[in-house]
Amino acid sequence: MKSLDFNCEPIKFAYIYQSQMRIRLFYILLWISIFGKAQTVESFSYEELDSTVILKDAELFLPVSRNNTFIGLNAIKIKNFPIWLKDSIWKNYKGIYWVKKTVRFDSTCKNKSLTINISVEGACEVFLNRKLIKKIGRIGYNVESQRELISDYFSISQVFEADKDYEILIRGSENEPAINHENEMMLLDIKVSICQTDNFHLLKGEIEENAIGISSFLFSFYITLFILHFTIFFLNRYEVSNLYYSIILFFAAYISFSRLFSHYSDNYFLISTMEQISMPAAVTLFHFLPFMFRAIFKIANPKWYFVTYLVLFITFYVGFNDMPIANFFSLLVIFFGITESLRIIIIALKHKKEGAKAIALGILALVIIMLLTLILIINKQNTFNVADPVIGMIMLLIVFLALTGVPLSLTFYLAHSISRTNKFLSKKLIQVEELSKQTIEQEKEKQQILAEQNITLDKQVKERTSEIQEQKKIIEEKNKDIIDSINYAKQIQTSILPEGEIIKSIFPNSFIFYSPKDIVSGDFYYITEIKGNKIVVTADCTGHGVPGALMSMVGSNIINKLTHENEIFNPKDLIENLHKELRHSLKQDLPGSINRDGMDLAAITITKDKILYSGANRPLIYFDQKGELNEIKPDKTPVGGSHIEKIELTEHQLAIKDVKQLFLFSDGFADQFGGPDNEHGGKKIMVSRFKKWLVEISTYKSEEQEAFLVKKFTEWKGKNEQVDDVMVIGIKP
């Protein structure tokens, strides 16, 4: 059929004439009843109806006017027109028609169920003895007012009385009939046949008779379950199986509703649209079946599953305009959804998933019941009478189970799952409450114990605080005494160091950068002039602080004795004798001594024309007259210590005319940590950087040299702690 152009005016026109149609129907039925009695009544026996008998020679009534309106009762009656033959051709006709046929059944048909099969194109109404038994579409005077759904084939099964006339009356409209391309004529195709009622026709008739009631029930059933499970999912989104199940129920409800809508509505466009959507709805329904079962049994969806369905859906919707392709892929998706669902259930059974047995048994029971019923119908075809109330009720029950059994079983399982989860949570809640009570009681006991302990601790704290305060006073007093003693020791140590005036008198162009790590220092220097010999000694004793200070005083006294009493002026002899005297003073020369204290030092003696140098682990740096830095390496040996009895040093000699400035120093300056990254400890100054700075200040005055080195050292150290005693002496001979 071509698509109809629905305009408001034709439809309005059709509704205006509905009441007139009923009045005309009454008169036409009356006319047919009066004047149609002359027709020969076709009689049948039960044996003749063993096969399908096609009725012939029905009476055809047409309106007088070709504009499809009836004028009074002036209808044209065409007798003996073979309208029931399939090859019947009716040229150039569009509009409303009436067909009447009267049949009779003899005594052999008594209490036998017979079936009247009717095949008709277009909208029609079927009457049996003036009682409306079937209506398809809406009969109209023109294309706009007529509503035709699809060409239909239907059956009417019932027990007919013997020797009684039954009038079959069909009123139809065909405003846009099909075209027979071979004869290029308009074809009106109506066929009516009578046969013995078999089980298929009985069941089909029962279902068709109750189709609207069943559709209403199923729509209410499915939409109720949909609301229930979607609400459950909305309240508990963790259980995604309820979402998939609610989607399935929604589309099942839609399919049922489309059947109801097509029965009650006259809007052909909406009915056609909803019928077209019914197939995608069914496809989508079966598409979500595997998702639901996987969600129920907690089985992950494989990647290929999504890809396959994506390809199938794209192909399905792309081929929607080509119905054969669309139907093929629709059936393919439905088949795939069913087989995949069964495969998931089998996997769940194999892995002993909870609920798998219940769902599998429910589906299996339904399949077994339907198979057994089908086998019973086939084996008892002659005696199986659906018209029997008991058997009919059983058949309806089977249909009901087929359409509602599986949804009810799934609903029961999901509800049972929720109930089981709630029971589990209730038990856990009770356990939590019990644990909470125990925890509260334990907490109370703990608080009580803590309170008692706090009282005891508070008392102990007060006692200990009192004791600590007393001890603090004692420690502060002792600390004060110690600090006072160390400060006094500093005065003593300072007193043994050469005074600044004496140094300036001996070396006018010189400086001394001297910075102890603690109050007292383990570094010391000795400067004197005896009989024209200017002697300079720089020493770095073991340790720093008080121990280092004591060693420095011992070493300073021995050097003073060796120079002034023994008149030893040569640096080499001075250091070698210092080693001997220091070991004797500290009793390191005695057998079994464990005293390892000593010192590293460098000594120079300056006369009128030369400079003598010897060093034990401390070098000499000097600048020549060209301003180039030179370094004389010391001997690798300590002064003092019990492990070396006698040391021998190397004596180095320089011409005084070749030397511009001399530098003697301890290792404290180069070992200081700091620098740009001094907040994280930084790195050492190192001897190489120290030499670089000496080159930079080689042309400065002595006071400027000292200030430069102090600034550089302070900046490098930053917030870091000073790691050792620092001593740098610069002399211009």
Side-chain angles (χ1 to χ4, degrees), residues 260-291:
L260 289 174
F261 188 83
S262 64
H263 179 76
Y264 290 109
S265 177
D266 292 331
N267 191 324
Y268 177 77
F269 176 76
L270 288 179
I271 292 172
S272 177
T273 303
M274 292 185 70
E275 287 181 349
Q276 285 183 337
I277 297 175
S278 293
M279 179 57 77
V283 172
T284 308
L285 185 152
F286 285 97
H287 164 67
F288 279 102
L289 269 180
F291 286 91

Side-chain angles (χ1 to χ4, degrees), residues 504 507-513 536 604 606 611 613 619-632 654-665 690-691 693-709 728-733:
K504 287 295 182 180
F507 299 107
N509 296 318
S510 63
F511 73 89
I512 298 176
F513 175 23
V536 180
I604 60 173
I606 302 174
I611 300 172
Y613 157 76
L620 170 67
I621 292 177
Y622 72 93
F623 285 88
D624 57 22
Q625 295 299 332
K626 296 180 181 180
E628 294 180 357
L629 184 145
N630 299 274
E631 180 180 2
I632 301 176
L654 299 171
I656 197 168
K657 63 179 181 178
D658 296 331
V659 177
K660 184 178 180 181
Q661 188 172 11
L662 302 163
F663 289 96
L664 301 170
F665 51 93
F690 175 62
K691 290 180 179 179
W693 289 344
L694 291 180
V695 172
E696 188 174 346
I697 64 173
S698 61
T699 59
Y700 292 4
K701 295 181 179 179
S702 297
E703 295 80 3
E704 294 174 348
Q705 290 177 339
E706 180 182 1
F708 180 89
L709 292 177
V728 179
I729 298 178
I731 299 172
K732 293 182 179 180

Side-chain angles (χ1 to χ4, degrees), residues 364-411:
L364 182 63
L366 180 62
V367 172
I368 291 173
I369 291 173
M370 296 181 69
L371 288 176
L372 289 176
T373 305
L374 183 61
I375 292 171
L376 182 62
I377 292 173
I378 294 172
N379 291 337
K380 304 293 183 179
Q381 187 171 359
N382 294 329
T383 60
F384 195 87
N385 188 359
V386 182
D388 183 85
V390 177
I391 296 177
M393 184 63 68
I394 293 173
M395 296 302 295
L396 287 176
L397 180 61
I398 291 172
V399 173
F400 174 81
L401 289 175
L403 296 175
T404 63
V406 175
L408 281 174
S409 64
L410 287 172
T411 297

Side-chain angles (χ1 to χ4, degrees), residues 674-690:
D677 194 24
N678 54 27
E679 291 183 0
H680 299 90
K683 51 188 177 181
K684 292 182 178 181
I685 294 177
M686 304 297 290
V687 174
S688 59
R689 187 175 285 104
F690 175 62

